[in-house]
Amino acid sequence: KTTILGTFDIHEGPITAVTLDFESVLVLSGDDDGMLHYWNMDSRMSLAMLRGHEDRINVIRADFEQDIAITASNDETARIWTISNGRCVGTLVGHTQPVRDVQVDFENELAITCSDDMSIRFWNLSTFTCTDVIGGEHLGRINIIRARFDQEPPMMVSTSDDYTLRLWNLHTKKCEELLASHFGKITNLLM
């Protein structure tokens, strides 16, 4: 038998993204209207509301120890947040369609985003500027990216509505492998 321990019910619309830290019992949740909430799991209390996005939040990545989070949204941006005070400290602008996913190397202040505009962008998190763009490889929107920053060379996998996965060398920004055996959209990726 399953028992509900509590609910988080401050969102006014569907919750579309969540990340949590079990050690510090903290949760960030995002919704269809672009609102983020910062929660304490034990008390079920909202600690902060993070406002800035104008549309659905697709993904949240966070380093709770460093008090930083990054969100990707249908409003064509990714935003960087100070979690504890709910302040947006930077906006990554450059995609021309919804941003679907983000991968982050917090230690080296690097973010990578992918979008329906069929591009992958690299961002400096100190200056909030785009440092590189990969485009024209995938033939459909790019849905998911997963990166390994802790190996040499660092690598990334991207998935697309073109039914392919691509393996990227993050030093050269070149596709090293194309996997094209799917007969439908790739909707999830575990790495």
Side-chain angles (χ1 to χ4, degrees), residues 38-49:
Y38 177 44
W39 302 90
N40 179 291
M41 277 192 283
D42 285 341
S43 68
R44 310 296 190 275
M45 297 295 294
S46 177
L47 304 173
M49 288 191 340

Side-chain angles (χ1 to χ4, degrees), residues 102-108 110-112 122 145-156 170-171 191:
V102 61
Q103 291 289 284
V104 188
D105 181 351
F106 288 106
E107 185 177 314
N108 292 306
L110 168 70
I112 306 169
F122 295 78
I145 51 175
R146 294 292 180 266
R148 288 286 310 265
F149 299 106
D150 61 342
Q151 66 180 44
E152 192 54 45
M155 302 296 283
M156 177 179 67
L170 293 179
H171 284 319
M191 200 164 125

Side-chain angles (χ1 to χ4, degrees), residues 75-132:
D75 68 8
E76 302 174 3
T77 69
R79 291 183 179 263
I80 298 88
W81 308 87
T82 301
I83 299 170
S84 60
N85 66 15
R87 188 169 154 253
C88 178
V89 296
T91 304
L92 308 180
V93 178
H95 286 291
T96 59
Q97 293 187 30
V99 180
R100 292 291 166 194
D101 203 357
V102 61
Q103 291 289 284
V104 188
D105 181 351
F106 288 106
E107 185 177 314
N108 292 306
E109 299 182 318
L110 168 70
I112 306 169
T113 56
C114 68
S115 170
D116 288 5
D117 66 13
M118 299 184 286
S119 73
I120 297 170
R121 291 182 174 263
F122 295 78
W123 306 89
N124 179 314
L125 294 180
S126 295
T127 61
F128 311 117
T129 56
C130 182
T131 59
D132 212 341

Side-chain angles (χ1 to χ4, degrees), residues 7 12 22 25 31 43 45 52-53 64 75 87-88 110-111 116 124 128 145 153 162 165 177-179 186-187:
T7 60
E12 293 182 15
F22 283 110
V25 297
D31 68 25
S43 68
M45 297 295 294
H53 282 298
F64 287 94
D75 68 8
R87 188 169 154 253
C88 178
L110 168 70
D116 288 5
N124 179 314
F128 311 117
I145 51 175
D162 66 7
L165 288 96
E177 200 76 39
L178 170 65
L179 305 171
I186 301 162
T187 59

